[in-house]
């Protein structure tokens, strides 16, 4: 018996979904946004997933990061609190369960539907979520850099946003006066 069948997954289904313009992760979250414009729902779903991707980068999504994601999804997505909480919970679950390939696929989808301004706003939000617990870990910082590259943003764009969160970067905190070094 193949590992795909053991998991209840058909291999050809995975391959066809991977090439579809909308990932399964985004599709599940979009379903929770019933009644919203489908294009806006795809945007919010991918946006929420990417916030979770960064929060999950260090293998720990703190309560502060979760609250920051909920607040950001409410504000940026124009969602009521209950719906934002649901979307964030689904995005967190998807990021934990299906990280890896979904990370790249969802980022590619976001890249296709977002404007440059929306991508830059996302970059700020990624750092805001990471800094919610007063520290942006090296893994989170690296994940944000990866997302920035996948969104085809310049290194200068990345550095300009990163500089605004330098006080939260754990790699710099260790060398600051009074740091752990």
């Amino acid at each position: 018996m193949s590992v795909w069948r053991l998991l209840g997954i058909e291999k050809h289904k995975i391959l066809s979904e991977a090439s579809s313009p909308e990932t399964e992760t985004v599709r599940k979250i979009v379903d929770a946004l019933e009644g919203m414009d489908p294009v806006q729902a795809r945007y919010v779903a991918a946006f929420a997933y990417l916030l979770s991707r960064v929060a999950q980068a260090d293998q720990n999504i703190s309560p502060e990061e979760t609250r920051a994601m909920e607040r950001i999804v409410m504000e940026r997505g124009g969602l009521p609190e209950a719906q934002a909480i649901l979307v964030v919970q689904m995005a967190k679950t998807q990021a934990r369960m299906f990280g890896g390939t979904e990370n790249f696929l969802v980022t590619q989808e976001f890249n296709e539907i977002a404007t440059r301004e929306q991508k830059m706003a996302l970059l700020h939000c990624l750092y805001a979520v990471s800094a919610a617990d007063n520290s942006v870990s090296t893994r989170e910082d690296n994940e944000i850099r990866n997302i920035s590259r996948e969104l085809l943003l310049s290194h200068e764009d990345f550095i300009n946003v990163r500089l605004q969160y330098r006080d939260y970067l754990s790699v710099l905190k260790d060398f600051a006066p009074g740091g752990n070094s």
Side-chain angles (χ1 to χ4, degrees):
M1 175 178 255
S2 77
V3 96
W4 299 109
R5 189 167 288 145
L6 182 66
L7 294 172
I9 301 171
E10 296 177 36
K11 187 175 180 180
H12 71 279
K13 184 178 178 185
I14 287 177
L15 295 175
S16 68
E17 285 178 357
S19 63
S20 74
E22 188 175 274
T23 67
E24 184 64 25
T25 292
V26 171
R27 210 172 291 123
K28 285 179 181 179
I29 299 170
V30 166
D31 289 344
L33 297 172
E34 189 177 319
M36 183 183 271
D37 171 65
V39 174
Q40 179 66 10
R42 280 181 64 210
Y43 172 84
V44 170
F47 185 91
Y49 180 86
L50 292 172
L51 296 177
S52 294
R53 172 181 170 181
V54 167
Q56 177 64 26
D58 60 2
Q59 305 300 308
N60 177 43
I61 301 177
S62 72
E64 295 85 5
E65 289 171 326
T66 297
R67 283 191 295 280
M69 287 187 284
E70 292 166 353
R71 180 184 48 75
I72 289 169
V73 169
M74 273 178 36
E75 291 169 1
R76 297 280 178 171
L79 301 178
E81 184 177 15
Q83 200 171 26
I85 290 169
L86 175 65
V87 168
V88 167
Q89 285 307 114
M90 291 180 74
K92 285 171 40 178
T93 299
Q94 294 295 311
R96 284 182 183 130
M97 292 176 58
F98 302 111
T101 55
E102 279 297 298
N103 287 348
F104 179 76
L105 294 173
V106 173
T107 308
Q108 289 305 106
E109 185 168 347
F110 189 84
N111 187 51
E112 291 173 16
I113 61 177
T115 64
R116 182 181 190 295
E117 291 76 26
Q118 290 171 322
K119 293 174 190 179
M120 292 300 294
L122 171 70
L123 209 55
H124 281 280
C125 292
L126 295 174
Y127 272 108
V129 166
S130 295
D133 57 2
N134 293 314
S135 179
V136 176
S137 73
T138 301
R139 286 183 176 175
E140 290 168 331
D141 190 35
N142 289 340
E143 196 67 26
I144 294 169
R145 177 61 183 132
N146 290 338
I147 291 169
S148 173
R149 283 188 194 115
E150 291 167 19
L151 294 176
L152 307 176
L153 293 171
S154 72
H155 184 67
E156 183 180 356
D157 290 334
F158 168 73
I159 293 300
N160 286 336
V161 173
R162 185 178 189 250
L163 280 172
Q164 295 176 42
Y165 295 89
R166 68 181 165 269
D167 293 341
Y168 297 97
L169 297 172
S170 64
V171 69
L172 297 179
K173 282 183 172 186
D174 291 342
F175 295 105
N180 297 335
S181 290

